[in-house]
Amino acid sequence: MADHTPSPAIGGPAHPKAPPFRVGHGYDLHRLEVQAPAGKGRPFILGGVILEHTHGPISHSDGDALYHAVTDALLAAISQPDIGQLFPDTDPRHESQDSSIFLAEAARRVAQAGWNIGNVDATVILERPKLSPHKQAMRANIARLIAAPLDSVNIKGKTHEKVDAVGEGRAVEVHVVTLLWR
Ligand code: MG
């Protein structure tokens, strides 16, 4: 028989039978433009790695879409305010901010809430440059910032088959899921 005990009201305490797991999903997209000084794009940084490219993200912070999506996945899993609420892009303190600060803060909040990071799985959708030479460095950067073993962080690279903004090289898109455990 299914347990039909009503769930607690929103904002109430956790259900006594709540599982010892939480999942979180994070998503980010940044527009890519020709890098300064010819254009408005920043240096192209992704997962803490500087990518050699003509284009870079338009952003208030350093525009690291991979760090941003992992940050949001972790915050989502513990039902805390998202990256845009915690670090608003209207705040001059976050101008050109190194996004590792955001990710480390999300991991700190996860630990403070009593959760452990089981794994993080990211899909980066980017037409150019190729992600494969940089994946290991990106994994290592994320694992270090969230204090998790390297093999709990996975990154997959995809293209967008030359269609739509991402496929035309005008944006980078990242999807992340994470599992936390008690
Ligand atoms: Mg972002």
Side-chain angles (χ1 to χ4, degrees):
M1 278 285 279
D3 178 6
H4 293 295
T5 310
S7 295
I10 291 170
H15 190 287
K17 290 182 181 171
F21 304 106
R22 300 293 293 259
V23 293
H25 170 257
Y27 169 81
D28 199 23
L29 179 146
H30 279 265
R31 202 165 72 244
L32 298 174
E33 291 191 5
V34 172
Q35 289 183 13
K40 290 181 178 167
R42 291 181 177 275
F44 196 175
I45 187 162
L46 201 61
V49 174
I50 304 247
L51 301 177
E52 197 78 40
H53 195 39
T54 51
H55 288 53
I58 298 296
S59 64
H60 184 67
S61 70
D62 68 3
D64 194 319
L66 179 51
Y67 277 2
H68 293 178
V70 178
T71 299
D72 256 351
L74 293 175
L75 293 170
I78 55 171
S79 304
Q80 291 211 4
D82 65 34
I83 189 170
Q85 293 172 284
L86 288 183
F87 309 106
D89 65 7
T90 48
D91 187 337
R93 283 177 306 170
H94 303 135
E95 170 79 35
S96 304
Q97 174 75 63
D98 176 345
S99 296
S100 65
I101 302 290
F102 308 150
L103 182 50
E105 173 61 14
R108 191 193 66 77
R109 286 171 179 247
V110 165
Q112 190 179 44
W115 295 93
N116 303 292
I117 296 170
N119 73 310
V120 170
D121 182 28
T123 302
V124 177
I125 310 167
L126 177 66
E127 209 64 21
R128 303 175 280 124
K130 284 223 167 299
L131 206 66
S132 47
H134 310 290
K135 273 202 246 178
Q136 297 310 322
M138 293 173 179
R139 288 177 69 203
N141 286 341
I142 292 167
R144 187 185 70 252
L145 288 167
I146 66 175
L150 184 62
D151 75 354
S152 65
V153 178
N154 186 62
I155 298 172
K156 306 180 295 298
K158 308 281 287 181
T159 72
H160 210 269
E161 292 287 325
K162 297 188 167 64
V163 299
D164 295 341
V166 176
E168 291 164 5
R170 294 187 287 115
V172 55
E173 189 175 15
V174 183
H175 300 258
V176 171
V177 289
T178 188
L179 179 79
L180 309 183
W181 60 278
R182 283 278 191 211

